[in-house]
Amino acid sequence: VALGLGIAYAALLPAWNSLLAGYVPENSKGMGWGIFSSVEGLGIVFGPLLGSWLAGGGHLTLPFVVSAFLFAVIGLIYAFSPSRLFRCAAVRTLTGNGS
């Protein structure tokens, strides 16, 4: 389970960052990425706290089950989201056309 979650996270994070890159304004890249990194940092802080709270009740596998469920939900969102919406944002980023 831990190996599967690690592989899922390794695939998810770059995809998520790539998706967000299309929405960061060209003239505010530093601030935009700073905000996104701060939100990801909050996950690094609160994730272990939540995981230890879940495991503290004697259910040591519960944090892994919750993580797997969240990854499945995010995967379904990616799978069923219209890729044309994300493609347009990526084209704007690559061409430098922010409009």
Side-chain angles (χ1 to χ4, degrees):
V1 172
L3 180 63
L5 288 174
I7 291 170
Y9 188 71
L12 179 69
L13 189 59
W16 178 251
N17 287 340
S18 177
L19 174 65
L20 291 180
Y23 296 100
V24 177
E26 191 66 36
N27 58 351
S28 301
K29 287 239 183 251
M31 182 181 70
W33 281 111
I35 291 170
F36 292 140
S37 295
S38 297
V39 171
E40 287 179 2
L42 288 173
I44 292 170
V45 170
F46 290 113
L49 289 173
L50 179 61
S52 62
W53 179 74
L54 291 171
H59 299 92
L60 298 179
T61 59
L62 189 57
F64 295 100
V65 172
V66 170
S67 294
F69 174 76
L70 291 173
F71 276 120
V73 168
I74 293 169
L76 288 173
I77 291 171
Y78 274 122
F80 293 108
S81 294
S83 61
R84 61 182 160 70
L85 296 177
F86 304 134
R87 191 178 323 119
C88 292
V91 168
R92 284 195 306 268
T93 301
L94 292 175
T95 61
N97 184 4
S99 57

